[in-house]
Amino acid sequence: MLKIENVTKVFNAGTVNEKVALNGLSLHLNEGDFCTVIGGNGAGKSTMLNAIAGVWGVDEGNIIIDGQDVTKLPEFKRASFLGRVFQDPMMGTAPTMQIVENLALAARRGKKRTLRPSISKAEIEEFRDKLAMLDLGLENRMTTKVGLLSGGQRQAITLLMASLRQPKVLLLDEHTAALDPKTAAKVLELSDRIVEDNNLTTLMVTHNMRDAIAHGNRLIMLNNGRVVLDIAGEDKKKLTVSDLLQRFSVASGEEFVNDRALLG
Amino acid sequence: MGFFGSLINAMPGAVGQGIIWGIMAIGVYITFRVLDIADLTVDGSLCTGGAVCVIMTLSGAPMWLALLVAVIAGMAAGLATGLFQTVCGIPAILAGILTQLGLYSVNLRIMGIGTGGGKANLPISVDKYNLLVSSRYLTSVGIRNPLVALTIITAVLIVVIYWFFGREIGCAMRATGSNPNMSRAQGINTDLMKVLGLMFSNGLVAFSGALLAQYQGFSDVNMGRGAIVIGLAAVIIGEVIFEKIFRNFALKLMACVFGAIIYYIVIQIVLRLGLSTDDLKLLTALVVALFLSVPYWKKRHFSKSKKGGAANA
């Protein structure tokens, strides 16, 4: 479903701040894979997701989604293949617009926008049902401006928006990192449900090793801009945090450095 | 005649001017509030509208055609600014200033069509030409009174703009101003939306300039100087006075027009209180600066309980 082939991205090339963020990264995801992504500080986790989403162009390599080479497509065109939830709860929604308006925008991802009404009556009912499934009482506040909602509520809405039109790949970029533990657990549970219900191919970056182990059918670890560990199936089910740390140091020849991952 | 007598006599003029600048303010609202861009193109495109309308009318074109071409000229100015921003990556404020500066020459050229050299001022007489609005008939009763036409035009414009922003494209434009990252993630071409918004806005501003030229009986190369500030003044006065009661988008557009009318009424009052017309622009600039700072100060000093993005992180 998703093929990343030898992708390289260098920031600030030729300056003292040069940073090789992705270093010949390759990754193949099969349809229905729910892959968690873990790695130390600056390992390239978010950079990989941004490369897939087309936030900027990559220096080398190809990105292929569902058989189509999207390497040269601008961000807004790739959007038709992707559902995205960001680390910052402010980033995934339009704060000055109503909840239903945000959902209606997402329902038209990848479609031509015309002079038809921005929301149809049928959609309002559909959105009410879907919001009710979030179990946050938002179905009674559909015309509330999203800017008035909490971070957790906004992430839940962003998740719903990402799945309104079935994406080829769902990209979750540390989407619970900015939330308090209780809300984070709820949003994670919701993510599981949405991925499962829609059978979505998913990449979930997380800084929490336990979450990375507990969710999904596959786990990859990045280091210095490439995949150093790829664990799937039965192997992943038996995995523990200490296993993971040990296998990381064997694979990379370094100690794992990420305070948040170890403390989280 | 006493102070109040002369003030009341000046009222129709102030209202007429206010409505015309109110249309301009709606254009500013679209960029400043909807798209979140401060667009300085308007200082030039207002005059472009006036110049095109006058030169077309003088050369015998029907009034509706003159207005239409004025709008198209304004949209072209918006297109230029939009391309500066999106294709050339020039910051919004600077892109607007560049277009505005270039338009000064363009406007002189437009007004010089037929006579060779550039003209800074071009009169048009309502006695010789068919004009939609003229301040000459401010005190007459009936449809010749410009206030009638202006009220109808403004009402129609507000309905059309309200309709547009309730459509898929209009919503995409609002999303672009609200959160460009999210918009791109939802497949919206934010660059295209910016360009379209700037064209839309400057088309309205040029239309306002065309009406203003008809109303005052001439176009002048300096007629748009400081227009952005007057437009902002109207937008902000409208917001401050009507924010509690006007929640609907159409009403917010109407608040821009009311804001412009109030602005011109206040100007008439302070002029009659003895302020020199030379000091008007300074006063306007100070008033806008003051009103722009109010929300900032409010946020700094009265929002201790409100949590922002950083508090959640």
Side-chain angles (χ1 to χ4, degrees):
Chain A
M1 186 53 73
L2 173 72
K3 271 191 201 169
I4 304 174
E5 288 172 340
N6 270 316
V7 166
T8 297
K9 176 70 185 177
V10 182
F11 289 112
N12 305 313
T15 71
V16 285
N17 292 321
E18 181 170 297
K19 162 85 187 151
V20 182
L22 298 177
N23 188 9
L25 175 88
S26 292
L27 175 70
H28 289 205
L29 283 192
N30 299 316
E31 188 162 1
D33 264 357
F34 181 172
C35 179
T36 57
V37 183
I38 197 152
N41 303 330
K45 309 183 294 286
S46 291
T47 312
M48 174 174 77
L49 259 53
N50 286 338
I52 298 168
V55 175
W56 20 250
V58 296
D59 301 329
E60 275 171 53
N62 293 303
I63 294 162
I64 294 145
I65 303 174
D66 197 21
Q68 189 178 338
D69 190 331
V70 299
T71 318
K72 296 270 180 277
L73 285 187
E75 187 180 3
F76 77 90
K77 282 197 179 155
R78 289 193 209 185
S80 58
F81 302 102
L82 301 170
R84 290 163 72 191
V85 186
F86 311 91
Q87 178 173 357
D88 181 354
M90 305 296 148
M91 242 173 102
T93 42
T96 59
M97 297 174 79
Q98 300 169 358
I99 294 177
V100 273
E101 288 177 326
N102 272 276
L103 294 175
L105 282 167
R108 284 160 183 73
R109 180 159 44 78
K111 283 190 186 168
K112 201 169 159 48
R113 287 164 212 267
T114 64
L115 286 174
R116 281 195 299 264
S118 58
I119 313 174
S120 71
K121 285 226 165 62
E123 277 179 316
I124 292 179
E125 290 316 309
E126 182 198 333
F127 294 160
R128 194 189 307 281
D129 294 343
K130 295 211 157 149
L131 283 167
M133 288 192 324
L134 299 182
D135 201 19
L136 295 167
L138 294 173
E139 64 275 17
N140 304 316
R141 303 173 62 186
M142 301 225 297
T143 56
T144 303
K145 298 264 156 71
V146 173
L148 298 171
L149 304 179
S150 71
Q153 290 170 325
R154 291 177 75 159
Q155 288 304 65
I157 290 176
T158 312
L159 261 171
L160 181 56
M161 285 165 63
S163 63
L164 272 183
R165 294 206 12 103
Q166 175 107 7
K168 300 287 180 200
V169 182
L170 176 64
L171 302 176
L172 307 174
D173 188 1
E174 295 208 46
H175 66 306
T176 59
L179 308 174
D180 64 81
K182 214 174 133 196
T183 316
K186 203 164 178 194
V187 169
L188 262 182
E189 184 202 309
L190 179 67
S191 314
D192 268 347
R193 215 165 72 207
I194 285 180
V195 169
E196 201 167 313
D197 289 353
N198 301 289
N199 190 30
L200 298 177
T201 309
T202 304
L203 264 181
M204 180 173 92
V205 172
T206 173
H207 63 265
N208 187 313
M209 289 202 170
R210 271 190 290 273
D211 287 344
I213 292 169
H215 298 267
N217 65 333
R218 193 169 160 191
L219 181 151
I220 59 168
M221 188 178 253
L222 297 190
N223 192 42
N224 293 328
R226 56 170 81 199
V227 178
V228 290
L229 273 183
D230 189 340
I231 304 166
E234 285 304 310
D235 209 10
K236 175 169 181 296
K237 281 182 190 153
K238 287 182 288 192
L239 205 61
T240 64
V241 172
S242 53
D243 278 350
L244 200 52
L245 286 172
Q246 204 227 332
R247 289 178 71 168
F248 173 79
S249 51
V250 171
S252 67
E254 301 170 28
E255 285 293 313
F256 186 78
V257 192
N258 185 337
D259 299 343
R260 285 191 306 162
L262 297 174
L263 297 171
Chain B
M1 208 179 338
F3 173 78
F4 286 104
S6 85
L7 187 62
I8 284 165
N9 273 340
M11 272 309 109
V15 172
Q17 218 171 359
I19 298 177
I20 293 174
W21 281 90
I23 295 171
M24 190 268 173
I26 291 176
V28 171
Y29 186 90
I30 289 172
T31 47
F32 188 64
R33 283 295 182 228
V34 177
L35 276 176
D36 201 20
I37 297 172
D39 176 35
L40 303 190
T41 315
V42 297
D43 277 29
S45 58
L46 185 91
C47 174
T48 305
V52 168
C53 178
V54 170
I55 204 80
M56 295 263 309
T57 311
L58 288 178
S59 65
M63 183 251 295
W64 65 267
L65 185 64
L67 287 172
L68 181 69
V69 177
V71 171
I72 293 170
M75 291 172 84
L79 176 67
T81 305
L83 294 180
F84 279 151
Q85 283 184 29
T86 56
V87 177
C88 310
I90 299 171
I93 302 247
L94 191 53
I97 291 175
L98 289 176
T99 312
Q100 179 203 118
L101 183 72
L103 281 178
Y104 188 86
S105 302
V106 172
N107 294 340
L108 282 173
R109 284 283 177 187
I110 292 172
M111 292 200 282
I113 289 173
T115 54
K119 272 197 176 146
N121 186 295
L122 207 57
I124 184 164
S125 167
V126 70
D127 299 326
K128 289 194 205 140
Y129 299 95
N130 174 27
L131 302 180
L132 186 61
V133 290
S134 168
S135 58
R136 171 84 59 86
Y137 304 117
L138 267 174
T139 50
S140 61
V141 180
I143 54 160
R144 270 214 313 190
N145 190 314
L147 296 184
V148 177
L150 286 175
T151 308
I152 295 170
I153 290 169
T154 311
V156 170
L157 280 177
I158 288 176
V159 169
V160 171
I161 296 168
Y162 178 73
W163 175 86
F164 174 77
F165 281 106
R167 306 285 112 181
E168 288 174 348
I169 298 183
C171 245
M173 208 177 267
R174 285 162 55 209
T176 300
S178 184
N179 185 346
N181 278 311
M182 168 269 194
S183 302
R184 281 190 292 274
Q186 300 306 338
I188 295 168
N189 185 346
T190 48
D191 282 351
L192 178 67
M193 288 303 137
K194 272 188 207 163
V195 173
L196 286 180
L198 285 164
M199 289 174 70
F200 192 1
S201 164
N202 281 287
L204 276 171
V205 171
F207 182 62
S208 159
L211 292 177
L212 186 63
Q214 288 195 0
Y215 181 81
Q216 63 192 12
F218 63 89
S219 66
D220 187 286
V221 77
N222 287 318
M223 68 194 269
R225 178 163 292 177
I228 179 68
V229 184
I230 297 176
L232 284 178
V235 169
I236 293 163
I237 293 170
E239 281 177 349
V240 168
I241 295 182
F242 300 105
E243 72 179 338
K244 289 280 183 309
I245 44 176
F246 284 6
R247 299 283 175 154
N248 179 285
F249 186 73
L251 293 176
K252 284 182 179 172
L253 296 177
M254 210 153 83
C256 297
V257 181
F258 289 162
I261 295 172
I262 292 166
Y263 172 83
Y264 275 99
I265 290 175
V266 171
I267 295 286
Q268 288 301 328
I269 293 172
V270 295
L271 287 179
R272 275 169 179 70
L273 288 173
L275 187 90
S276 155
T277 46
D278 293 347
D279 299 331
L280 261 186
K281 297 244 195 260
L282 176 64
L283 181 78
T284 309
L286 289 176
V287 167
V288 171
L290 181 72
F291 277 108
L292 281 176
S293 0
V294 169
Y296 175 71
W297 288 334
K298 261 192 188 166
K299 215 171 167 182
R300 273 188 65 172
H301 299 291
F302 301 104
S303 66
K304 282 175 187 118
S305 62
K306 244 191 173 171
K307 47 179 183 179
N312 286 337

